[in-house]
Amino acid sequence: MTTMTDTSNAARFREFKMPDVGEGLTEAEILKWYVQPGDTVTDGQVVCEVETAKAAVELPIPFDGVVHELRFPEGTTVDVGQVIIAVDVAPGSGDAVADEPAAAPAPEAAPAEAAPAEEPKGRQPVLVGYGVAESSTKRRARKGAETAPPAAAPAAVQAELNGQGTAAVPEARPLAKPPVRKLAKDLGIDLATVTPTGAGGVITREDVHAAATPSEPVAPSAPSVEPVVPAAEPIPAGARETRIPVKGVRKAIAQAMVGSAFTAPHVTEFVTVDVTRTMKLVAELKEDKDMAGVRVNPLLVIAKALLVAIRRNPGVNAVWDEANQEIVQKHYVNLGIAAATPRGLIVPNIKDAQDQTLPQLAASLGELVATARDGRTSPAAMAGGTVTITNVGVFGVDTGTPILNPGESAILAVGAIKLQPWVHKGKVKPRQVTTLALSFDHRLIDGELGSKFLADIAAILEQPKRLITWA
């Protein structure tokens, strides 16, 4: 029979489950807890950071209360849907036992009264973004102590977020996007010391760089859990091998590459091309006032050449639907750029790249690379790609045989651009030369289509004026 105590317990303790922070992800690893049992949390406060197969994400709690139990320690991989934290949403209502697995017994000095928590607002957690405020961390008062009046900190923090408060609440969490927070951690900058210039008081990447410029020391940031490769740990003397757990991004890469290699019949074609005129164009664009403030490099022109080649060969921008036995033709281009990061290989993409001007494409590439380097690329940024470029030339190699990104049918590898002897206008001259490699899915891209597509990219890079004549 259900008792009144059982009912009150169910209403008093709320559980927060591991959400699906990406598109169809099934698990995530808890990197760091920002709260402990006994801490007071508020709706929207970030309680932990998790790493999925695609990105590191901060999770905010969607209700107020006092942390009752953390179900998993840091470093644990948890399935989506499992409870990761239990919160007492009515801490002042007396002793109760949560309907959950038994935890380690609490000290006998135990439950005490705290300020009544607000009723749950029912707001769904924002998994990626900014704007939540982290309240001051406080423990429950001892039993017998007078009930303290409601703390003013959360109200003051909210007032400051609304632009009406003062700087009197040092616990207010500065407004900044996850990539900016990561950059601040890497540079040792305390965001509380940074003057924001973004809309609504948001701290931008430029604000962090500006704060790092002065020579005077800044307050050190809190220790962070950096998702680095475990092999970086010291190797014990005499050890002949090291075993590294396969998880996170590395696990996702392995599954994706095996699935792609043994599902899509790959064909790889190569072409060596004189890109001297492209390099001259890059140098001219760097001096162009319309390109001021964005990074101009050969990858920019190569990306634009690929987009023009897709317009001339739209059949490349498609995917094989095995379940429905259909070829799905994409009328948009989400251009993926393979990026090597401390967490492993990721492929974020530029949405609707076909509609972007050259300055816009340069800005998108710069933001994509910076976000990937900071380790804060969101799962959404890596979803829905249609074609990919991998620039292996940055490592000094001539080319490779790239494996298709799952869900795509073509990937272009760009080799190193080197000064080589080349026959130009009937004479052997030193010219800037590179080798391109195109891998494609032979189920839907025949040799003729793949060859024409690769030849068009090479022709544009040899004569960049074709960006105009063919567009």
Side-chain angles (χ1 to χ4, degrees):
M1 183 177 74
T2 302
T3 65
M4 184 177 298
T5 301
D6 295 333
T7 304
S8 64
N9 284 348
R12 175 173 174 178
F13 291 94
R14 297 191 63 181
E15 298 175 333
F16 180 54
K17 300 178 180 180
M18 176 69 74
D20 179 1
V21 297
E23 297 186 357
L25 296 177
T26 59
E27 63 183 18
E29 178 186 354
I30 298 175
L31 291 181
K32 184 173 181 62
W33 282 108
Y34 296 121
V35 296
Q36 294 297 323
D39 291 351
T40 297
V41 294
T42 58
D43 178 11
Q45 177 179 332
V46 172
V47 294
C48 68
E49 182 180 29
V50 301
E51 181 183 36
T52 70
K54 294 184 176 181
V57 180
E58 292 181 330
L59 298 184
I61 195 95
F63 39 79
D64 300 339
V66 174
V67 177
H68 178 73
E69 181 187 16
L70 305 181
R71 294 288 178 86
F72 298 96
E74 295 175 358
T76 305
T77 298
V78 181
D79 291 336
V80 169
Q82 282 192 280
V83 176
I84 60 175
I85 183 174
V87 175
D88 184 351
V89 296
S93 59
D95 295 333
V97 178
D99 297 329
E100 57 191 4
E108 294 186 359
E113 299 174 357
E118 294 181 3
E119 290 296 323
K121 300 182 178 73
R123 187 167 69 86
Q124 297 300 314
V126 180
L127 298 180
V128 179
Y130 58 89
V132 296
E134 186 173 9
S135 67
S136 58
T137 300
K138 52 187 191 244
R139 301 284 178 177
R140 305 189 213 183
R142 294 183 178 275
K143 182 180 290 186
E146 293 184 1
T147 302
V157 170
Q158 188 60 49
E160 186 161 336
L161 290 178
N162 294 335
Q164 301 169 346
T166 66
V169 185
E171 296 85 358
R173 194 166 188 259
L175 300 181
K177 293 182 179 180
V180 178
R181 295 186 184 281
K182 177 63 167 57
L183 176 62
K185 287 182 180 179
D186 292 342
L187 296 179
I189 301 298
D190 184 353
L191 286 178
T193 67
V194 178
T195 302
T197 62
V202 176
I203 296 174
T204 66
R205 189 184 304 275
E206 290 73 21
D207 296 336
V208 174
H209 282 301
T213 301
S215 57
E216 61 268 22
V218 296
S221 59
S224 62
V225 176
E226 192 69 18
V228 296
V229 180
E233 298 178 359
I235 301 176
R240 295 175 61 84
E241 61 184 33
T242 299
R243 290 183 174 269
I244 303 171
V246 178
K247 57 184 180 179
V249 173
R250 178 52 54 192
K251 181 178 180 180
I253 293 172
Q255 293 174 339
M257 293 299 96
V258 170
S260 177
F262 291 97
T263 300
H266 285 55
V267 172
T268 304
E269 295 187 339
F270 307 88
V271 63
T272 303
V273 58
D274 177 2
V275 295
T276 304
R277 291 187 178 92
T278 288
M279 298 305 290
K280 289 181 179 178
L281 175 61
V282 169
E284 293 172 0
L285 289 174
K286 289 181 178 179
E287 304 299 325
D288 193 315
K289 63 179 182 180
D290 291 331
M291 303 297 290
V294 296
R295 185 179 182 185
V296 178
N297 55 25
L299 180 61
L300 171 63
V301 181
I302 293 169
K304 195 65 175 178
L306 180 140
L307 293 171
V308 172
I310 286 177
R311 184 176 302 176
R312 289 168 55 86
N313 305 274
V316 171
N317 194 45
V319 66
W320 183 273
D321 185 344
E322 180 67 28
N324 296 311
Q325 288 295 294
E326 295 175 337
I327 295 174
V328 183
Q329 182 72 53
K330 304 295 179 68
H331 303 299
Y332 59 90
V333 182
N334 288 348
L335 178 59
I337 304 295
T341 74
R343 298 176 59 243
L345 175 69
I346 63 173
V347 188
N349 62 75
I350 300 171
K351 311 297 184 186
D352 295 315
Q354 79 284 351
D355 294 331
Q356 297 194 2
T357 64
L358 198 62
Q360 290 172 340
L361 187 60
S364 296
L365 281 170
E367 179 64 23
L368 179 148
V369 172
T371 303
R373 184 176 58 245
D374 292 344
R376 292 295 182 174
T377 301
S378 69
M382 292 182 279
T386 63
V387 65
T388 293
I389 296 176
T390 177
N391 186 11
V392 297
V394 297
F395 304 110
V397 301
D398 293 331
T399 190
T401 55
I403 296 178
L404 295 171
N405 199 30
E408 301 177 14
S409 297
I411 179 171
L412 179 71
V414 182
I417 299 175
K418 299 178 180 179
L419 198 63
Q420 296 182 16
W422 192 264
V423 178
H424 178 67
K425 296 182 179 179
K427 296 181 179 180
V428 177
K429 297 181 179 180
R431 303 286 288 180
Q432 300 275 16
V433 177
T434 190
T435 299
L436 306 177
L438 178 73
S439 292
F440 54 87
D441 186 342
H442 212 352
R443 290 177 298 179
L444 67 156
I445 301 178
D446 295 331
E448 179 185 13
L449 176 59
S451 299
K452 286 182 176 179
F453 178 63
L454 181 59
D456 279 354
I457 296 173
I460 293 171
L461 297 179
E462 186 175 18
Q463 293 283 355
K465 65 183 181 181
R466 291 190 173 105
L467 285 173
I468 300 174
T469 57
W470 287 0

